[in-house]
Amino acid sequence: MATLIIAEHDNHTLKGATLNAVTAASQIGGDIHILVAGGGCQAVADAASAVAGVSKVLLADNAAYEHQLAENVSLLVAELGREYSHVIASATTGGKNLMPRVAALLDVAQLSDVIRVDSDDTFARPIYAGNAIATVKSLDAIKVITIRGTGFDAGSAEGGSAAIEMVSAVHDAGISSFIGEAMAKSDRPELTAASVIVSGGRGMGNGENFALLESLADKLGAAVGASRAAVDAGFVPNDMQVGQTGKIVAPDLYIAVGISGAIQHLAGMKDSKVIVAINKDEEAPIFSVADYGLVADLFDAVPELDAKL
Amino acid sequence: MKVLVTVKRVIDYNVKVRVKSDNSDVDLSNVKMAMNPFCEIAVEEAVRLKEAGIATEVVVVSLGPQSAQEQIRTALALGADRGILVQSDENLESLTVAKLLAKVVEEEQPGLVIMGKQAIDTDNNQTGQMLAALTNMPQGTFASEVKVSGDKVQVTREVDGGLQTVELSLPAIVTTDLRLNEPRYASLPNIMKAKRKPLDTKTPEDLGVEVKAHTQLLKVEPPAQRQAGIKVASVEALVDKLKNEAKVI
């Protein structure tokens, strides 16, 4: 029994989400190998070889894999995956894009967003926007899985010394190409990696008022998020959305400002360690999950909080 | 160009889901069902392509029980031209749905397939990618913009940290994210007209696909409930709690 983990990376650095996948793999048991597929990504393979508990790193370094095009990478992963009992990726947009394509090529099911490992074939995953948790047994010989990072602690990035093996197979399906990307530039941490998150909802009133939260976030070293209501109202871009249809987060501290607490939002943040809610409506559902609730006008409370930190 | 669009019948997104007391599954008896929200966005995009003169015909497909006809009729009322129901009362897993759709694609030969990125019941986010694999088509998942030109389509995708644009050769699969468009409502005259649009029914046997279980659902439980904490009276009290009790700042 051995697990192949598909590394999440940008050709330069190994993303933290991969370390959560390593923890999931160690709970499954057996050897753990990491595949680094990319273009000019030797540094990522070096980082992967240092991850504790990993016995081998497979490096497929080719222009065809540079932008993680699923049409190309899925062919590679399906070919390599036949030798494994489990093939795992993080349930990031990258993993979600790639893994079902791999599963179909292997003629097996995929288990999405796994949050708990019960045994080598049985896993728990949220369904219905996290309103129910399903325990599912895989009947396939190869288990293709994406894991939700918030369900597993990050493994250690150091302490390992796995051998790096080159994979020469080049798969270029020739049916898709990368045109460009527009990544949000920010000095703040990424939402899914932040230990503190300050989020705003419809109560913010407009996009300019998010400056209040940004100032607070900078004091706390926090990321800034938003509810779907704030995104739908056009206050902020969609990549800031926390919730079932946005990002699933579980920071040490989550501060919800002007967020009523729709089911869809709670599904994305209710596993946070400490939740603070600031809302002027004392009946808002967000208070039913908050450790500390402050019934106040956010336009008074947030500047005051900012000043007191 | 023919556009194929898929719709799934799911629990209405406003309904609070309850787990059955025997933990066998969620309780779907007597709850309101509706078209999956991401599928609504897919239908809207297909209809807009037709209105723009790019699509010549919009064919809507659903897979599931007889009652899924309702969701096909809704799509027809929104502007799709004809419907296909692949009828089955069995639990159809994503891979099986993808295999059935691959057969429909083979028969219909669409230039573009538009699907929701995930259904809000099982939250799998798999079928589009699986269909792409089985038909050897490129995939533009989590789309926030779709531009067809000639034999290519440019898809802007919502990825972690921003947006990515890819160019795909047609035929291709696109799966929709929330911001692709804002779906319209069906007008009463269009709802009436939709009743006369053609709707074919097929079975998995007709399509030559075996409905196979790759997973077994052992149990379904409600999530751990979080206890409500306390209300603090002032910002000062909040800072004190965060520093000295929770120790998170």
Side-chain angles (χ1 to χ4, degrees):
Chain A
M1 197 169 75
T3 296
L4 180 65
I5 294 175
I6 315 306
E8 176 92 12
H9 67 90
D10 58 4
N11 294 320
H12 305 290
T13 52
L14 181 68
K15 299 285 174 158
T18 307
L19 300 175
N20 303 76
V22 170
T23 300
S26 67
Q27 291 176 8
I28 290 167
D31 285 347
I32 301 173
H33 299 172
I34 294 185
L35 169 66
V36 176
C41 54
Q42 177 70 45
V44 180
D46 293 342
S49 75
V51 173
V54 174
S55 57
K56 197 191 331 181
V57 173
L58 301 173
L59 171 59
D61 195 338
N62 190 280
Y65 309 133
E66 184 180 354
H67 298 291
Q68 304 295 325
L69 292 170
E71 295 77 11
N72 302 345
V73 179
S74 63
L75 296 171
L76 172 71
V77 176
E79 181 184 287
L80 298 171
R82 288 179 205 285
E83 309 298 321
Y84 292 85
S85 57
H86 298 76
V87 183
I88 296 184
S90 312
T92 55
T93 50
K96 289 175 177 179
N97 185 45
L98 171 69
M99 295 300 266
R101 193 164 181 125
V102 171
L105 291 173
L106 292 171
D107 195 28
V108 299
Q110 187 206 284
L111 299 178
S112 301
D113 280 305
V114 163
I115 55 168
R116 194 182 76 222
V117 174
D118 286 352
S119 73
D120 62 3
D121 65 2
T122 303
F123 308 89
R125 54 177 304 266
I127 54 175
Y128 293 89
N131 287 299
I133 308 295
T135 303
V136 183
K137 181 178 177 169
S138 165
L139 306 175
D140 290 316
I142 305 171
K143 282 95 175 137
V144 175
I145 296 166
T146 62
I147 70 122
R148 187 176 279 190
T150 56
F152 301 90
D153 292 334
S156 173
E158 289 165 33
S161 57
I164 299 176
E165 196 174 285
M166 301 298 287
V167 178
S168 55
V170 176
H171 294 280
D172 187 348
I175 49 179
S176 59
S177 55
F178 171 84
I179 300 294
E181 61 189 1
M183 290 303 181
K185 285 191 186 63
S186 169
D187 295 333
R188 297 189 193 93
E190 274 183 56
L191 267 175
T192 48
S195 59
V196 181
I197 294 174
V198 180
S199 275
R202 202 196 298 273
M204 296 306 296
N206 59 46
E208 289 77 57
N209 288 338
F210 269 74
L212 290 173
L213 304 187
E214 287 163 8
S215 166
L216 180 60
D218 289 342
K219 281 238 172 98
L220 293 165
V224 178
S227 69
R228 179 167 165 193
V231 171
D232 283 353
F235 298 173
V236 289
N238 189 44
D239 61 334
M240 286 172 66
Q241 191 198 146
V242 172
Q244 180 60 23
T245 51
K247 302 213 165 38
I248 310 289
V249 299
D252 293 336
L253 174 61
Y254 189 90
I255 304 179
V257 181
I259 291 177
S260 65
I263 297 171
Q264 112 87 28
H265 186 73
L266 300 184
M269 46 65 82
K270 66 183 166 50
D271 293 327
S272 305
K273 215 156 110 195
V274 174
I275 297 174
V276 170
I278 300 174
N279 201 304
K280 64 182 174 187
D281 173 12
E282 63 177 315
E283 301 296 324
I286 189 78
F287 287 118
S288 70
V289 299
D291 297 283
Y292 303 109
L294 177 63
V295 181
D297 187 328
L298 73 94
F299 295 105
D300 299 328
V302 173
E304 194 186 339
L305 181 58
D306 194 345
K308 285 202 159 66
L309 291 171
Chain B
M1 179 177 74
K2 187 192 285 186
V3 175
L4 194 74
V5 56
T6 58
V7 298
K8 184 174 184 184
R9 177 181 174 86
V10 298
I11 189 168
D12 185 278
Y13 77 100
N14 288 309
V15 174
K16 174 101 175 97
V17 177
R18 291 187 201 290
V19 172
K20 284 184 187 169
S21 55
D22 66 357
N23 291 120
S24 60
D25 206 338
V26 297
D27 193 353
L28 292 181
S29 52
N30 300 317
V31 301
K32 188 181 174 208
M33 303 294 278
M35 189 191 295
N36 180 45
F38 290 106
C39 301
E40 288 181 350
I41 297 171
V43 172
E44 176 67 33
E45 195 65 16
V47 171
R48 286 187 191 187
L49 285 174
K50 191 174 175 200
E51 288 167 347
I54 294 166
T56 49
E57 187 186 25
V58 176
V59 180
V60 57
V61 187
S62 189
L63 305 94
Q66 169 92 34
S67 50
Q69 282 197 5
E70 290 170 25
Q71 280 63 49
I72 294 178
R73 291 289 174 203
T74 303
L76 295 173
L78 292 168
D81 296 298
R82 65 185 167 88
I84 301 169
L85 172 65
V86 180
Q87 194 184 329
S88 171
D89 291 322
E90 289 185 70
N91 172 40
L92 302 176
E93 294 181 13
S94 302
L95 183 60
T96 305
V97 171
K99 285 179 180 177
L100 291 164
L101 286 172
K103 292 291 183 183
V104 174
V105 165
E106 198 181 302
E107 285 180 9
E108 295 286 340
Q109 297 287 318
L112 188 64
V113 182
I114 310 180
M115 307 169 69
K117 75 167 180 178
Q118 77 189 66
I120 61 165
D121 49 5
T122 53
D123 281 332
N124 276 326
N125 192 335
Q126 297 174 356
T127 307
Q129 296 89 315
M130 287 181 161
L131 176 61
L134 298 176
T135 55
N136 196 26
M137 286 189 204
Q139 64 190 49
T141 52
F142 328 142
S144 64
E145 198 180 353
V146 176
K147 277 192 283 194
V148 178
S149 59
D151 60 352
K152 307 262 191 206
V153 58
Q154 275 203 6
V155 179
T156 300
R157 308 178 51 236
E158 304 223 3
V159 296
D160 292 334
L163 298 170
Q164 181 198 58
T165 303
V166 291
E167 187 172 78
L168 313 175
S169 307
L170 294 175
I173 312 273
V174 167
T175 76
T176 63
D177 216 321
L178 282 175
R179 304 231 287 191
L180 180 57
N181 59 49
E182 213 166 297
R184 69 192 70 187
Y185 294 97
S187 67
L188 190 59
N190 284 342
I191 292 171
M192 301 310 289
K193 247 196 284 181
K195 291 181 178 165
R196 293 191 301 274
K197 289 184 178 176
L199 196 169
D200 271 353
T201 301
K202 296 174 191 287
T203 64
E205 295 74 51
D206 295 341
L207 294 169
V209 174
E210 182 199 358
V211 177
K212 188 180 161 199
H214 291 263
T215 62
Q216 186 186 348
L217 184 62
L218 299 183
K219 64 179 173 195
V220 174
E221 296 165 298
Q225 285 303 313
R226 204 183 167 100
Q227 296 297 319
I230 55 163
K231 292 244 170 76
V232 293
S234 65
V235 170
E236 204 158 317
L238 176 63
V239 172
D240 175 62
K241 290 286 186 194
L242 292 178
K243 274 194 176 142
N244 301 316
E245 193 176 272
K247 297 187 169 56
V248 283
I249 57 171

